[in-house]
Structures are given as structure tokens and as C-alpha cells.
Amino acid sequence: MRVALGVSGGIAAYKAAELVRLLQDKGLDVEVVMTRNAREFITPLTFAALSGHKVITGMFGEAQGSSNLESAIEHIAVAQSIDAFVIAPATANVLAKMAHGIADDFLTTLCLATKAPLIVAPAMNVNMWEHAATQENLETLRNRGVRVVDPGEGYLACGMTGAGRLASPECIAQAVFETLGLREDLKGETVLVTAGPTEEPLDAVRYISNRSSGKMGYALAEVSRRRGARVLLVSGPARTEPPAVAGLERVRTAEEMAQAVFRHLEEATVVLMAAAVADFRPAEVSSGKIKKQQGAPVVKLEPTVDILAEIARRRREAQLIVGFAAEADHVVENAAAKLRAKRLDLIVANDVSQDGAGFDVDTNIVTLLFPDGRKKALEKMRKLDVANRVLDEVVELRKRTVTSDK
Ligand code: CTP
């Protein structure tokens, strides 16, 4: 998810740097927008370094070397792509402009141009805070659905004490998380996720593998972490960067993946088996390189360990096990058979023959199947959204195991 952070000119602007970190910690992509006055207090470079994005400081690409058209397009793109816009610190001046629909710089233009929810964290001198104009403007904004994170009381930079001090970065971040519906509903769970393909060597340079990109497993790991779980990720050689998790183990073969999974099985309360594990491997591996002169080799394959079946066999009470089924035909029937055979709590079936589903794309089209015969077909959506839907079901299943324990 993407959040824009608007920084306006106040001594508390430096605290916005800490807020960037807190938002990123939950996996949010942060785009910083600064007013001209904010730049008197903290440099755009600080925010560029923290956020990993160019900081938007003006309407027309000033100080960025980009053309007016480029920057105008970029600005519209920001307005459309963000899931929330938080302004911290918000000065009395910015609040007044927002209340009256004035758009004379990029920050205030974005307030009008975006449909994303707005959150403001005011910071100012106590007299400005208490002024009827400010209070009336805040009332207008609240009535319009803007969320206000009230300032705290305490020592103010101007030497006075009283209300007006920017709320703590933690409080502001919390307001953003609540607005985005980011839940901590997997707190206390240890989620073991497998991702990516495996590679089964044939000789010193060749191997058998599959087209799995690891994206679905990485999305599950990322979303589990955002929702408060401790995440252990066992990843085959995927082509993208894995998310930051509590424990990452990189493996190559099905056998290595099996060993890594079995090692962590004891501590896992939830297992999400998204990896595309090779079902077969070459029975013999040449230590050197097979030479052309030797003629076309006949490769004999042998089965690998079925990790998921083994996990299900060893399962502890209250451990939730989710399998994935990549199918090209009779998707639901085949997946339902796997669900039963491996005694899973849930299987996520995807039809890899459809456009926008399966390997190496950012979207997926899946059907969720449950042991009691329930079936939920989801529309085409981003893998991150699929991950959230799968984890919603894990949370529901957990409620049942907890109730049945009582
Ligand atoms: N899986 C596993 N170990 C294997 C093969 C598969 O743990 N050696 C897991 C996958 O991670 C996935 C599920 O089993 O969660 C289903 O994988 P899939 O390859 O679709 O099914 P298979 O059981 O291998 O059956 P088939 O080849 O008949 O489709």
C-alpha cells in the first residue's frame, strides 16, 4: 500500500522522518510531499534517503530537473495511487487552506486531487491552536471526514507550554494504520511460508525447475508480517527480492526445502505452503558437465518428498495448514482431492492456464476450498490482495480452533 506524507513548515517537521520509518515498518510505501516552508526546517534529501523516492516539493518539478509536463503527470499519478494522505506536521496555515479548498502548492493541491482518506496531525503555537479560526477550520475538516490526530500538551519550541505540540509519531502512525484497516490480527502466530520454485540438479551446470516467481509466497510472508505475525520464510531460488521477515532461509532443492521446513515445523502455528516444489528429480546427478559427445542422455527421474503431505502427517493440534494447487484443468476437482488427501485446513487453487493467474505475474485468480465443502471463487486481484484474503480465512479458522479448545 502507498501513503503520501505531507510535511508542512514547523519545528516538528523533523519528527516526520521518524514517522516515515514507522509507516515503512508495516510495509507501506511512503511518498513525501513538502511545502516550501518545510524545507526551511529539514531538507528533502533526508526524506528522499528514507523513503527511497524523489521528494515532491513543488508543482512544476522545481529543483528536480524534470519538465513541467513530466512533473504534472507524476503529481496526478501520486493523487491516484495513494491509499491515504497524512499531513504531519500540519500548520495552522495548511489547515486553513484545506478547510477552504485553497490549492496553491502541491501539498494542498493533492488534498483536493486525491480521493484517499486524509489524516492531519496539527502542530503549532498554543495561541494559534486555540484561535477560533483554527478550531473552526478543524471542525470543518472533521465534518468532511478528515481524521485529526490531536496535538499533545507540553513544552513547545516557542518556549510556551500548552496544547499545540505534534502528537507522537507512534500515535500518528497508529491513526494511519487504523484508517487503512491494517489489522494486527495475526499477533502471536508464527507463520511458516514456503515460496518460489526448487531446482533439481542434473549435472554441474544444469537443473530441472519450473516457472514459479515466488511472488505469491512473498506476498503471503509480507502480509503475514504486516498483520502482526512472526514470519519464517523458506524460499527457493525466486527472481524477486524477499520481504523483510524474522527468519529467511534460502534453499535450492526440494530436499533442502523439506529439511528447512521440518526444522521450523515445531514453532510454526500456521504453515502456508506456496512453493512450487518439484515433484521429481534426476535420479543420478553427474558431478561434472554432461558432454554432447556422450549423446543425448536419458534422464531417469525419481520422486521428491511431498513436504505438504509430511507436514500434515506430523501436524500438531491447532496448527493450521494451507496448501496451494496449481492446476491447468479440472481446477476445483483436482484441488479438492488434494485438500482431502493431505487433510489440509484450506487449499488455494489457481488455474494457471488463465491470463493474469499463476506463474510470474502480479495478479492471481484463485478459488479457496475448505474441508467442509465450502468454496469461494475470488475475482482476479493483486497477489498481495489474494494474500490478505487467504489470511482472513486463517484468522477465521483460528477463531474456530480456539473456540473448540474451550
Ligand atoms: N508440495 C509439496 N511437496 C512436493 C510437491 C508439492 O509440499 N513435493 C505442495 C505444494 O507446495 C503445494 C501443494 O503441495 O502447496 C500442491 O502442489 P501441486 O504440485 O499442485 O500438487 P501435487 O500434490 O504435486 O499434485 P499434482 O502433481 O498431481 O498436481
Side-chain angles (χ1 to χ4, degrees):
M1 277 197 252
R2 225 160 161 230
V3 169
L5 166 61
V7 183
S8 61
I11 193 77
Y14 73 94
K15 290 193 190 164
E18 173 66 11
L19 181 57
V20 174
R21 281 262 181 259
L22 293 171
L23 297 175
Q24 285 174 331
D25 250 14
K26 268 272 188 291
L28 298 174
D29 187 19
V30 184
E31 187 89 47
V32 180
V33 177
M34 295 177 82
T35 62
R36 184 179 290 277
N37 286 341
R39 285 182 278 157
E40 301 292 330
F41 294 93
I42 184 165
T43 68
L45 192 62
T46 305
F47 288 113
L50 287 173
S51 69
H53 296 294
K54 275 192 299 189
V55 171
I56 303 179
T57 52
M59 281 301 278
F60 300 110
E62 54 185 274
Q64 289 173 31
S66 44
S67 74
N68 286 355
L69 181 63
E70 263 174 338
S71 57
I73 292 170
E74 192 179 319
H75 295 173
I76 293 163
V78 173
Q80 287 174 343
S81 70
I82 55 175
D83 300 290
F85 184 20
V86 53
I87 303 166
T91 58
N93 183 43
V94 162
L95 295 172
K97 287 200 248 174
M98 285 173 75
H100 298 280
I102 296 170
D104 62 355
D105 61 8
F106 185 66
L107 189 146
T108 46
T109 304
L110 187 56
C111 290
L112 287 183
T114 189
K115 287 197 153 68
L118 299 177
I119 301 140
V120 293
M124 64 200 73
N125 156 297
V126 62
N127 292 343
M128 292 169 84
W129 170 252
E130 285 173 353
H131 199 285
T134 304
Q135 290 304 319
E136 280 166 25
N137 289 335
L138 280 166
E139 202 45 35
T140 305
L141 293 173
R142 279 198 190 94
N143 289 339
R144 246 183 241 154
V146 175
R147 182 166 182 160
V148 181
V149 186
D150 280 327
E153 300 217 354
Y155 176 79
L156 299 171
C158 55
M160 300 170 79
T161 51
R165 189 192 171 108
L166 183 71
S168 71
E170 286 77 14
C171 277
I172 304 168
Q174 198 52 43
V176 176
F177 302 150
E178 282 169 18
T179 303
L180 291 171
L182 290 176
R183 297 136 289 184
E184 290 261 288
D185 51 5
L186 289 171
K187 223 182 174 87
E189 303 280 357
T190 296
V191 179
L192 174 60
V193 184
T194 65
T198 64
E199 286 177 4
E200 308 302 329
L202 182 59
D203 68 9
V205 295
R206 303 180 177 96
Y207 57 82
I208 297 177
S209 189
N210 58 62
R211 289 175 46 219
S212 168
S213 61
K215 285 179 180 167
M216 192 62 238
Y218 286 2
L220 286 159
E222 168 84 45
V223 171
S224 301
R225 196 209 55 199
R226 284 188 201 167
R227 290 172 69 160
R230 176 171 167 259
V231 178
L232 305 173
L233 174 61
V234 176
S235 176
R239 268 163 283 162
T240 41
E241 268 306 295
V245 291
L248 167 69
E249 227 174 296
R250 293 182 195 264
V251 295
R252 186 176 179 214
T253 63
E255 184 54 34
E256 285 172 19
M257 183 170 280
Q259 293 312 320
V261 167
F262 299 154
R263 243 192 334 272
H264 295 296
L265 201 53
E266 196 52 39
E267 46 183 329
T269 57
V270 178
V271 182
L272 307 175
M273 197 65 206
V277 189
D279 288 324
F280 299 98
R281 66 179 176 202
E284 275 171 33
V285 184
S286 299
S287 55
K289 185 182 169 203
I290 299 169
K291 301 299 284 179
K292 208 157 46 194
Q293 294 91 309
Q294 295 170 298
V298 175
V299 180
K300 188 164 173 283
L301 299 175
E302 63 182 15
T304 57
V305 51
D306 188 330
I307 306 172
L308 188 55
E310 188 57 29
I311 296 173
R313 210 180 54 78
R314 297 185 191 187
R315 79 183 306 158
R316 282 183 289 113
E317 217 177 316
Q319 198 169 38
L320 295 173
I321 302 178
V322 179
F324 286 73
E327 307 287 348
D329 41 35
H330 302 108
V331 179
V332 170
E333 295 80 351
N334 285 339
K338 282 178 196 171
L339 173 81
R340 279 192 302 275
K342 298 186 185 180
R343 294 188 297 122
L344 308 175
D345 297 292
L346 166 65
I347 197 156
V348 183
N350 66 328
D351 182 347
V352 289
S353 66
Q354 281 179 277
D355 273 351
F359 295 133
D360 214 14
V361 284
D362 289 321
T363 53
N364 215 348
I365 307 168
V366 306
T367 303
L368 309 179
L369 303 173
F370 301 85
D372 58 9
R374 276 183 306 131
K375 190 169 80 179
K376 289 188 187 173
L378 307 184
E379 66 273 28
K380 176 166 148 182
M381 59 178 82
R382 295 184 310 165
K383 284 183 174 169
L384 276 173
D385 298 322
V386 174
N388 262 316
R389 297 290 286 267
V390 170
L391 290 164
D392 287 347
E393 299 301 340
V394 166
V395 170
E396 279 309 305
L397 290 165
R398 172 59 78 224
K399 282 186 197 151
R400 287 187 215 176
T401 59
V402 173
T403 341
S404 63
D405 280 355
K406 283 186 186 149

